[in-house]
Amino acid sequence: MTNEWMNDPALADIDRTKLDFLQALVFESRSLNKEQMLPFLMAVAKRGQTEHITFSNEEIETIAATIKNYSSAEEAAAIDKMMRMRKK
């Protein structure tokens, strides 16, 4: 996935710092295996706290929907799965 999704008009009201943070996560996590993912996500959560980056539920829903528009079918299915897990 490229960073094209970040310029989608649906995201116009979301702070660019937040979108840059997410893009960095996508880029950094690409080469990780399953065993590396949990420590990576824990570090990301800490970095988000340090940088005071938080997302409202509405922002999360909007970002996920937008990213799906730029994703393959497999990536979109993974996003749907993550969103279902998030709601549980």
Side-chain angles (χ1 to χ4, degrees), residues 3-4 7-8 10-11 13 15 22-23 30 33 46 51 53-55 58 64 67 70 83:
N3 65 352
E4 183 181 352
N7 298 316
D8 191 290
L11 302 176
D13 292 333
D15 187 318
L22 289 176
Q23 182 62 26
R30 283 187 172 166
N33 62 37
K46 178 135 180 82
E51 296 177 18
I53 296 175
T54 60
F55 297 89
E58 182 179 330
I67 291 174
Y70 295 87
M83 294 303 287

Side-chain angles (χ1 to χ4, degrees), residues 56-57 60-61 81-88:
S56 68
N57 287 333
I60 292 169
E61 296 287 336
K81 182 178 179 181
M82 285 189 310
M83 294 303 287
R84 282 192 306 272
M85 288 172 41
R86 181 182 168 276
K87 290 180 181 178
K88 288 184 180 182

Side-chain angles (χ1 to χ4, degrees), residues 24-40:
L25 297 181
V26 169
F27 181 76
E28 293 171 19
S29 67
R30 283 187 172 166
S31 63
L32 300 179
N33 62 37
K34 289 182 181 181
E35 291 78 29
Q36 296 169 316
M37 191 58 73
L38 183 58
F40 171 76

